[in-house]
Amino acid sequence: MSNAHTRPSSPEPTDPSRPPPREPTHAERCRTLVDQARAATLCTVAREPAGYPYGSLVTVAIDAQGRPLFLLSQLAEHTGNLLARPEASVLLTEPLGSHDQPLALGRVTLLGLCAKVSAGERRAVREVFLAKQPSASYYVDFEDFAFYRLEPTALRYVGGFGRMSWVTPDDYRVAEPDPLRADAPGILTHMNDDHAAASLAYARVLAGVPEATAATMTAVDRYGFDLAVTTPAGPRATRVAFDEPVATADEVRRAMVALVKRARAGSA
């Protein structure tokens, strides 16, 4: 599929002689975003009025292959639509309200066929779904409810303004969610509240923006972190990579300490 409107997902370049810092692929970003979702917009093909897209707010869980799972009532309009035509899509987003500009939120649309889970798979799917949606235990065994699963055949990722692409199902299937997804908000708060001077040193030395006057950490993942940098010429975005991928908050702390020592020594 065409990747129209795609640009490299890295923040703007600083020094052409520097290799671009490693960052998550769009497939990895999709898996991370999807893994954290608890609610979604499920779009089905309407029976009445026929052929129109029909959007519904539903709860969702994600299985080990990244496939969305739904617990749907046979009385729901979207369930009847699926039984007539299994073509569907599901929109998953970063939490609304987590950014002051809604269109800056990351989101992914998964398109594919959505069908009822077989009786032989129901127990395993039930366990996965209730682990993410424990309140569904009240009605999970009602006779008019059944599990449905969407098998992705195409994915469209939008990571905010100017960062977007089609992701293949194969790339998505083998990608892994970022291991820092749960710890990232706390890491960002700690760094921005308590270590602003370190972030400025990262920007000036390691990211190659010596004119920076302030820097705020805006994202962190297994490969590194993004910075929003203030300069006399205006704001800019940049990124610093860890020496090696990390998987825990403690590993992030050690990596940050090593990087700030290097920055304060003036060596990139």
Side-chain angles (χ1 to χ4, degrees):
M1 294 183 178
S2 169
N3 282 351
H5 300 291
T6 302
R7 67 164 172 81
S9 57
S10 303
E12 60 189 86
T14 51
D15 182 349
S17 67
R18 297 170 181 264
R22 186 178 180 184
E23 62 181 306
T25 66
H26 282 190
E28 289 174 320
R29 292 183 186 276
C30 286
R31 284 301 302 267
T32 299
L33 190 158
V34 165
D35 187 71
Q36 298 177 88
R38 293 181 53 83
T41 301
L42 174 64
C43 293
T44 55
V45 181
R47 296 163 294 159
E48 181 64 36
Y52 285 86
Y54 182 88
S56 304
L57 178 64
V58 295
T59 54
V60 64
I62 307 299
D63 69 12
Q65 288 75 49
R67 299 173 298 184
L69 304 172
F70 312 104
L71 178 60
L72 306 179
S73 168
Q74 67 182 19
L75 303 178
E77 189 70 19
H78 46 248
T79 306
N81 291 343
L82 289 174
L83 292 174
R85 290 189 58 174
E87 299 95 333
S89 68
V90 57
L91 171 65
L92 301 157
T93 74
E94 291 180 324
L96 297 177
S98 59
H99 197 286
D100 58 1
Q101 298 186 63
L103 292 181
L105 294 171
R107 60 265 195 196
V108 58
T109 300
L110 299 90
L111 301 91
L113 301 181
C114 187
K116 185 183 294 187
V117 170
S118 69
E121 296 177 285
R122 190 181 190 283
R123 177 176 294 182
V125 168
R126 183 184 189 277
E127 182 177 343
V128 171
F129 192 88
L130 290 180
K132 193 66 172 282
Q133 303 287 352
S135 62
S137 60
Y138 173 71
Y139 54 87
V140 66
D141 294 321
F142 285 7
E143 290 186 0
D144 64 312
F145 277 85
F147 288 106
Y148 286 72
R149 179 173 56 220
L150 187 139
E151 294 280 354
T153 58
L155 301 93
R156 182 66 174 176
Y157 170 70
V158 181
F161 299 110
R163 176 188 284 172
M164 61 192 73
S165 71
W166 287 98
V167 173
T168 70
D170 288 342
D171 286 347
Y172 174 74
R173 192 175 300 111
V174 299
E176 296 181 355
D178 192 86
L180 299 178
R181 58 196 181 279
D183 294 318
I187 293 170
L188 296 178
T189 297
H190 173 66
M191 291 301 298
N192 291 327
D193 288 352
D194 300 333
H195 298 288
S199 292
L200 183 57
Y202 297 144
R204 286 176 171 173
V205 180
L206 304 185
V209 191
E211 68 276 22
T213 58
T216 300
M217 197 171 293
T218 58
V220 61
D221 54 69
R222 76 187 87 188
Y223 303 122
F225 52 90
D226 296 342
L227 296 169
V229 181
T230 302
T231 75
R236 63 186 301 174
T238 191
R239 181 173 175 85
V240 176
F242 296 131
D243 293 331
E244 299 290 341
V246 298
T248 67
D250 189 55
E251 290 178 2
V252 172
R253 182 190 62 79
R254 293 198 296 268
M256 294 284 194
V257 169
L259 289 175
V260 79
K261 287 181 179 177
R262 188 184 309 163
R264 287 171 177 163
S267 171

